[in-house]
Every structure is written in structure tokens, then in C-alpha cells.
Amino acid sequence: MKIKSVNLETVCGITSKLPNNAHPEFAFAGKSNVGKSSLINAFMNRKSYARVSQQPGKTQTINYYNINDEMYLVDLPGYGYAKVTESVKVQWGKMIERYLKKSPQLKVVFLLIDIRHEPSANDKQMYDWILANGFEPIIIATKSDKISKGAAQKQVALIRKTLKCVEGSTIIPFSAENKSGLEDIYSIVDEYLSMNDEA
């Protein structure tokens, strides 16, 4: 995949109507401090288009990035951030659920998990939620540069076991620092775009 153009086209808040997009959508979900903005910037080949914050929980909207005028990268609100009220967490949850249920162009949900840690209860809940809405999430195990290759293999096995992944589920170790894993993510997106063109 070659990134030719990127445009933050739509930002949806809690009460916003979801856009009726003409192009396929690829959604990215993950905990607030999992490195989602860094991955999105790497995917878009931009240094700081998606805001990387030292304060987790900053993404409180659904952000639609139009890429090459052929697809949308959809940045979902980070979950599991402790310093917001329960009512805000519930609203974010409803917003994500509404998106998963009502977006006809959604093709794939990428779920980001920090490779260094066992998935949390929030991660497990999100994984199950995505499955319940008819999608088999592709796991991106972020921050893979922080541990050795041997440790990474063990952690991938732990992620698979803790989430009780569907047999054959894809887990991609990824590093925003050295871009390892990025080509695998591009390949998955390209495959869906090709299927969409054929259809």
C-alpha cells in the first residue's frame, strides 16, 4: 500500500450521526495508552497527524481518516482509562457499540494489545464485544521493540490464551519505532480493498 493522501474528514462525538461513507472502513480499537496514535501515524506515513498525547484518554471521538480517497481508517475512542467518570466510560462504550453495529462499510476491526502485558479485563471485554457484533478482530500486539523476539513469541501465545482467540486468529507484533509488522497490516487492508474492487 502506498499512502498518497490523508485527510481527517469526519469527527463524530457522542451525539453525532455516523457518516454514510462510500469507501471501506478499517477500525482501530485499543486501550488509551496502547500506542494507537503512533500506529495510525505509522500507517498513514505521517509523523504526527494523529495526536500522540502524554495524557491517555484524549481520543474522545470517532475520527475518520480518508486515505487515498479509497478507504477510511477509523480511530475509535481509547477505553480503560481510569481518570474519567463512569458515565463518560459508558458513553464511550455506547459510541463504539453504535459504530460496530451501524457501519455498513466496516470491513475489519484491528484490536491493539500491549505485547508486554497480559490482556486486561477491558481488552477481553472489547474482544468479545467485537466478536458479538459479527467481526473477528485482528490483534496488533504493539510495542514489540520493547521486548526480545523470544519473549514476543511467549507474549503472543499469552494474548491468544487470555483472550480465548478464535482458532486461526491473526496476531501481528508491531513496533511504531522500527515499523516492523506494518507491511502485514497493509497486506490485510490491501486484500480487503481488492475484494471490494472485485465486488
Side-chain angles (χ1 to χ4, degrees):
M1 167 168 276
K2 199 167 183 180
I3 308 299
K4 298 169 192 165
S5 64
V6 173
N7 177 36
L8 176 56
E9 190 171 288
T10 310
V11 176
C12 286
I14 288 160
T15 58
S16 304
K17 186 180 176 187
L18 297 173
N20 185 18
N21 289 324
H23 300 307
E25 296 172 9
F26 299 85
F28 287 75
K31 263 199 309 208
S32 301
N33 57 352
V34 76
K36 187 155 53 71
S37 296
S38 297
L39 185 152
I40 288 170
N41 284 325
F43 184 99
M44 298 190 302
N45 197 24
R46 299 292 188 274
K47 279 206 161 70
S48 55
Y49 205 97
R51 189 171 53 186
V52 179
S53 175
Q54 296 306 312
Q55 292 177 284
K58 278 289 183 188
T59 306
Q60 299 180 18
T61 52
I62 300 176
N63 300 330
Y64 292 78
Y65 296 92
N66 182 327
I67 296 179
N68 296 344
D69 207 24
E70 66 173 352
M71 63 163 282
Y72 287 93
L73 187 159
V74 182
D75 182 10
L76 298 175
Y79 58 83
Y81 183 50
K83 291 187 182 177
V84 295
T85 63
E86 282 305 315
S87 62
V88 170
K89 287 180 190 175
V90 168
Q91 287 176 322
W92 287 359
K94 284 181 180 173
M95 189 161 48
I96 293 170
E97 187 172 34
R98 182 164 58 107
Y99 172 75
L100 293 175
K101 282 184 173 172
K102 300 195 173 181
S103 296
Q105 290 285 12
L106 178 58
K107 303 301 178 190
V108 180
V109 182
F110 292 96
L111 178 60
L112 281 61
I113 307 283
D114 189 328
I115 199 167
R116 300 170 299 175
H117 308 298
E118 183 176 348
S120 67
N122 282 322
D123 291 325
K124 174 68 175 146
Q125 182 182 41
M126 191 70 203
Y127 181 83
D128 292 342
W129 214 4
I130 295 166
L131 279 179
N133 280 285
F135 297 93
E136 188 177 307
I138 291 168
I139 308 296
I140 302 179
T142 61
K143 308 187 184 185
S144 64
D145 57 289
K146 307 289 186 194
I147 59 175
S148 69
K149 282 190 178 174
Q153 288 179 335
K154 286 180 183 173
Q155 289 302 109
V156 165
L158 178 64
I159 290 169
R160 199 179 290 281
K161 181 182 175 186
T162 306
L163 294 180
K164 297 180 180 167
C165 286
V166 174
E167 193 172 343
S169 291
T170 301
I171 300 180
I172 302 170
F174 170 80
S175 165
E177 292 294 319
N178 59 34
K179 308 296 188 290
S180 65
L182 185 58
E183 286 302 322
D184 295 324
I185 299 167
Y186 280 158
S187 293
I188 289 166
V189 171
D190 280 335
E191 192 177 328
Y192 277 91
L193 290 176
S194 300
M195 285 161 53
N196 193 67
D197 289 342
E198 287 167 13

